[in-house]
Amino acid sequence: PISFLSNGIQVGSSQYTGNGVGLVMIYPNPLNQNNYILILPENYGSYTGMHPDSFLPFPDYLVIQPYNTLHATNLMKILKKGTFSSSWSL
């Protein structure tokens, strides 16, 4: 249901593109269905100042884009968030 583009992310039929657009997502571990994996961009912590353990409660996925303002840097804008169905589809 989610695809990586050369300049962003596609969620279903919606595309999110731009500088730094990334994905945060939880998904069943393909090697062990009793566990889940959390997918984070390599620089996610620098944009949130949070450790992954501090995310609860958390949607199944977030499409994010970093940005700066005159007064703050390393901020994160949420472009889309949502949950998967029980069959892990949108």
Side-chain angles (χ1 to χ4, degrees), residues 5-81:
L5 308 172
S6 63
N7 62 344
I9 303 292
Q10 181 167 338
V11 179
S13 61
S14 299
Q15 292 187 358
Y16 302 90
T17 59
N19 187 28
V21 171
L23 177 71
V24 175
M25 184 174 90
I26 189 168
Y27 201 75
N29 183 335
L31 302 177
N32 183 345
Q33 293 293 310
N34 294 320
N35 293 308
Y36 296 90
I37 56 174
L38 178 60
I39 300 168
L40 298 170
E42 64 184 57
N43 60 352
Y44 186 75
S46 68
Y47 288 106
T48 64
M50 293 190 292
H51 186 273
D53 291 342
S54 66
F55 292 163
L56 300 175
F58 197 70
D60 291 338
Y61 68 90
L62 293 170
V63 178
I64 60 171
Q65 184 173 31
Y67 71 98
N68 298 316
T69 68
L70 292 174
H71 305 290
T73 60
N74 297 330
L75 300 172
M76 181 187 65
K77 177 173 32 172
I78 297 173
L79 303 176
K80 172 130 178 108
K81 65 181 176 178

